[in-house]
Structure formats: structure tokens, C-alpha cells
Amino acid sequence: MPQGVVIIGVQWGDEGKGKIVDYYAAEANVVARFQGGNNAGHTLVVQGKQTILHLIPSGILHPHAECVIGSGVVVDPEVFLAEVDVLRKAGVPNLEQRLALSDRAHVILDYHRKLDAAREGNAGDGKIGTTKRGIGPAYEDRAARRGIRIADLYNDKVFAERLAQNFAEKNFLLTEYYKAEPLSMDQVVEKYRRIAEQLRPFVRDTAKWLNDAIVCGRKVLFEGAQGVLLDVDYGSYPYVTSSHTLPSQAALGLGVRLPKETLFLGTIKAYSTRVGEGPFPTELEGDPEGIGEKLRLTGKEYGATTGRPRRCGWLDLVAVRHALRTCGIRHLAITKADVLTGFGDLKVCVGYQRKGQRFDDWPADTTMLDDVEPVYETLPGWTASLDGIRSAADLPKELKNYLRFIEEFTDTRVNLVSTGAGREAVIDIHRAF
Ligand code: IMP
């Protein structure tokens, strides 16, 4: 691998990034997360055993890799400690030495989760369909300059003062506006004092540490969460998450300059899925041929974080092209190609039709997508199983054609194709970048 590899999702998350991260992590010295929080869910199958991580970078499963959670991540300390516990019990070695948490990261507290749930509960048809992990409210507090950072947990005065201010405001909102139960501040200070001590071995100035590592030539994998279409600016606003999911966030959310030799890799699922609300032009829900349901069942399309069934549909190349252009990505990893085996003809969306007019760009006003008809190109599918294929040359010609179509439509190159759940089912097509 080059010295830096940034891996992001190009659709609505759940593209199978964990798998691609895992592929490169074998060679990386450091794996770093730069945005999001425990709304993410990376499902990995290693030696037949499934592991789901929400916050800690999936690279931790490689015993040689060091892992960083950067300042751009919002951290629920209880989730962090619970994941550490699970990893410890699974025999993952040297966690204190290999896992670093930024002292500048913002903390998700109980009131963030509670507000997230109250807002969603009150929003009626306008709900976003969040993961209710408190992600949005924690990022709001960061921007409003009332957030509590990991470093603040070690300053009793700052922590107590800021907590009191926040509790007063949040409880007012909860009770007066959302008509929900207030939260009690009793024992919170004590609880976080305990948590701070448990976190202490992991807390560092990760920006400084990672900069030094990059200067020393160490190889770093930058692990994105969610996907470009959930980016707070360039996604399907307001049906987005509250962070930037673009690759440029890697530098910001870690406080580093990326290595000069960095591969930016976008991960695309061979079809489309989305959890939560928001526009999804190629969604196949209740379609007469049952293709949406077949994709869900074959692809095991249930949220890794919330267990919600994912909405499924054909690959939307208009959305993907918008996402790739926005973040300047030219190299792709295509995942779950095996799921499409035996589907017959495959459709890919190359434009939208609305009120008799065709357009082929993703609009800023995404309500325009509510009543569009996708314009599809039909490509031949393949029937032969992809099991055991290890070389690009052995892929069915129809799959090669499908990949070529994606490349041409989006002006990119496919570097990797994943053809199964296991670590070994990743086929390298273009090693160079
Ligand atoms: P939040 O990030 O919990 O605020 O949720 C905002 C939107 O992003 C909702 O539609 C979620 O379903 C979606 N979302 C957040 N994280 C992920 C993820 O890791 N995969 C897929 N969708 C996600």
C-alpha cells in the first residue's frame, strides 16, 4: 500500500468499508478514524467469526496495527469502554498500547442521546431516521461551543461548570419543548470521574502523535464512516448525518497533513441501500418482481448498528457520480458483487425523469427527487458463482462489463472487487494508483 490510504463510503453508508479497511490494515501501521461516532457499524468476518465494531477502528483486529480515534469523532465513552471490554475478552492484545483517543474529541453524554430520541419522536413525517446515538446533538454542541471534550473530563472545574450549564439548557428543552422526562445530574459527575480514569490509558494528543508517525514514514489507513450521500453539506440534506464524510475530512478530523503518497479509495456497493429516511430514487420497495426484498435477503441488508432493515434498490450511478465528483475520488472498491449473482438482467440508473424532463445530476433541493423516475440502462447479469475466484481474469465477463460500465460512467478506475464476506474474497484489479 502507499503511505496513506483514505477509505470512504460513496453511497449512504454500509458499503462494506470495514472489509476494505481490513484488507489494507494487514499492511498498515496505523488505522485512524476521523468523523462520526458509534452510529457506524463495521461488520467483519475473520476466520469465520463475525465481529461488529461501532466506534473503535476495525483495524484493531490486526494485532500489529495501532488505532487512533481523532478529534473529528464524537465519542460515547461508555461505548468506547464496552468495546474495549469485548475486544479484551476476545483476546485482542495490547489495547492500551495500540489504541489512542484524541483529547480533543467531543463527548456524547446521556442528554445527547435523549435529545436525539426526543427530536425524532416529535418530528412526525419530518424525522431523519437517525441512529439515536446522540450524534447530531453532540456535533451541535461542538459547533455551538458548549461541548465537553475528552480533555475536559480531567479538569474538574471546567467539567462541572459546563455540565451544569448543559443540564439546565437540555432539561429545559426536554421538559418544556419535547414534553419528555428531565435527566438528573446527580451522580453524573461521579460517574464521569470514574469513566475518565478508565479512559486515561488511551487518551493522547493524537494529532501530534499521528503527525510524528507520518513524518517517520509509517503507513496510515484513514477509515471513513457513513458515506458521501450522508455528508452534512453534500449529501441528501437534511437526511444526512451531522459530520463531513468526505475524504478531506481525514486531514481535519485528525489534525494532520496527509502523506504525499495517498490513495483515496471510494467504496461502492454493487447495488444501493439506505437506512433512515430521505430520497432514494432507485429504491425497490414492494416491486412486483420482489427484487428489493431479494437484495435485502441475499445481501443480509439489516443495519449493523440498529438492526433496521435497509431499503434496497438498483445501483444509482447519478448519485454515485455526484458523490465521486464532490470528493475528487478516482479509485473504487466495489463490494458485494456476489449478491447480484443470479439476478438476471441488472439495471443501473443513469438519469432521472421528472415531469417529462430528464436531468442527470444530483440536485441541492433533494425534494426534487421525491417524484422522479429513474432512467435505467440494462446490463446482462451473471449466473456462475464467484466463490473461490481470486483473480480478476476469472471473473464472469458480465461482471467485468458491469465494472467497466461503472468506470466509464463515473470516470474512475476499479481497484478492488469484493466477492464474498470473508477476508480472502477481495480481488485486486489495479494495484498501482
Ligand atoms: P445519525 O448519524 O444517527 O444522526 O443519523 C442520520 C442518518 O444517517 C440516518 O439516516 C442514519 O440511518 C444514517 N446513518 C448514520 N450512520 C450510518 C451508518 O454507519 N450507515 C448507514 N447509515 C447511517
Side-chain angles (χ1 to χ4, degrees), residues 202-280:
F202 302 99
V203 177
R204 278 193 216 172
D205 180 344
T206 51
K208 181 171 181 303
W209 183 87
L210 191 58
N211 261 302
D212 290 348
I214 291 172
V215 169
C216 292
R218 304 188 73 207
K219 293 185 173 178
V220 185
L221 192 51
F222 300 88
E223 172 177 338
Q226 292 86 47
V228 178
L229 300 173
L230 288 172
D231 180 89
V232 64
D233 275 334
Y234 294 100
S236 44
Y237 192 87
Y239 299 97
V240 292
T241 191
S242 297
S243 66
H244 285 294
T245 55
L246 304 182
S248 37
Q249 177 62 25
L252 276 175
L254 285 156
V256 297
R257 187 163 92 174
L258 299 187
K260 202 162 148 212
E261 266 203 354
T262 293
L263 166 66
F264 294 88
L265 194 65
T267 312
I268 298 179
K269 197 183 286 191
Y271 47 97
S272 306
T273 63
R274 151 161 230 180
V275 274
E277 307 302 316
F280 183 1

Side-chain angles (χ1 to χ4, degrees), residues 80-122:
F80 178 86
L81 291 171
E83 288 192 358
V84 164
D85 206 40
V86 167
L87 291 168
R88 210 174 260 143
K89 285 189 179 131
V92 178
N94 305 328
L95 289 170
E96 273 86 355
Q97 290 76 42
R98 296 201 294 122
L99 180 57
L101 175 59
S102 168
D103 49 5
R104 290 182 168 84
H106 279 251
V107 179
I108 300 179
L109 291 121
D110 297 350
Y111 49 72
H112 293 126
R113 284 191 299 269
K114 181 115 179 176
L115 270 175
D116 200 350
R119 285 205 182 118
E120 286 287 282
N122 274 32

Side-chain angles (χ1 to χ4, degrees), residues 48-333:
K49 189 173 173 299
Q50 181 169 298
T51 307
I52 302 182
L53 291 173
H54 299 285
L55 181 60
I56 294 177
S58 35
I60 200 73
L61 298 178
H62 289 266
H64 70 278
E66 295 188 74
C67 290
V68 175
I69 297 178
S71 58
V73 177
V74 283
V75 175
D76 187 328
E78 291 174 86
V79 172
F80 178 86
L81 291 171
E83 288 192 358
V84 164
D85 206 40
V86 167
L87 291 168
R88 210 174 260 143
K89 285 189 179 131
V92 178
N94 305 328
L95 289 170
E96 273 86 355
Q97 290 76 42
R98 296 201 294 122
L99 180 57
L101 175 59
S102 168
D103 49 5
R104 290 182 168 84
H106 279 251
V107 179
I108 300 179
L109 291 121
D110 297 350
Y111 49 72
H112 293 126
R113 284 191 299 269
K114 181 115 179 176
L115 270 175
D116 200 350
R119 285 205 182 118
E120 286 287 282
N122 274 32
D125 285 348
K127 75 173 194 277
I128 306 290
T130 74
T131 58
K132 300 194 185 146
R133 300 297 190 263
I135 307 294
Y139 277 117
E140 279 170 43
D141 277 357
R142 180 178 83 155
R145 295 158 297 184
R146 57 175 171 246
I148 292 176
R149 304 194 298 174
I150 296 285
D152 302 329
L153 299 177
Y154 301 95
N155 183 324
D156 288 348
K157 184 167 176 291
V158 168
F159 181 61
E161 278 174 12
R162 212 162 290 166
L163 201 63
Q165 276 169 3
N166 275 298
F167 259 88
E169 187 199 44
K170 301 325 184 216
N171 272 337
F172 180 79
L173 264 177
L174 283 170
T175 55
E176 299 301 315
Y177 189 75
Y178 294 111
K179 309 294 176 210
E181 291 298 313
L183 282 166
S184 158
M185 220 184 107
D186 287 356
Q187 296 165 356
V188 170
V189 174
E190 207 32 60
K191 175 170 122 178
Y192 279 90
R193 201 167 276 147
R194 223 175 33 246
I195 284 177
E197 282 320 304
Q198 290 172 282
L199 288 179
R200 200 185 280 279
F202 302 99
V203 177
R204 278 193 216 172
D205 180 344
T206 51
K208 181 171 181 303
W209 183 87
L210 191 58
N211 261 302
D212 290 348
I214 291 172
V215 169
C216 292
R218 304 188 73 207
K219 293 185 173 178
V220 185
L221 192 51
F222 300 88
E223 172 177 338
Q226 292 86 47
V228 178
L229 300 173
L230 288 172
D231 180 89
V232 64
D233 275 334
Y234 294 100
S236 44
Y237 192 87
Y239 299 97
V240 292
T241 191
S242 297
S243 66
H244 285 294
T245 55
L246 304 182
S248 37
Q249 177 62 25
L252 276 175
L254 285 156
V256 297
R257 187 163 92 174
L258 299 187
K260 202 162 148 212
E261 266 203 354
T262 293
L263 166 66
F264 294 88
L265 194 65
T267 312
I268 298 179
K269 197 183 286 191
Y271 47 97
S272 306
T273 63
R274 151 161 230 180
V275 274
E277 307 302 316
F280 183 1
T282 63
E283 180 170 16
L284 295 164
E285 198 51 61
D287 58 303
E289 292 150 287
I291 292 172
E293 187 58 17
K294 192 170 162 199
L295 283 171
R296 186 175 305 120
L297 291 175
T298 318
K300 300 193 181 71
E301 297 297 350
Y302 295 87
T305 300
T306 56
R308 291 178 288 178
R310 294 179 184 140
R311 301 157 65 192
C312 298
W314 295 120
L315 181 60
D316 185 343
L317 282 181
V318 178
V320 160
R321 184 172 58 188
H322 154 80
L324 290 169
R325 195 190 290 135
T326 305
C327 56
I329 284 216
R330 307 295 303 278
H331 296 272
L332 306 179

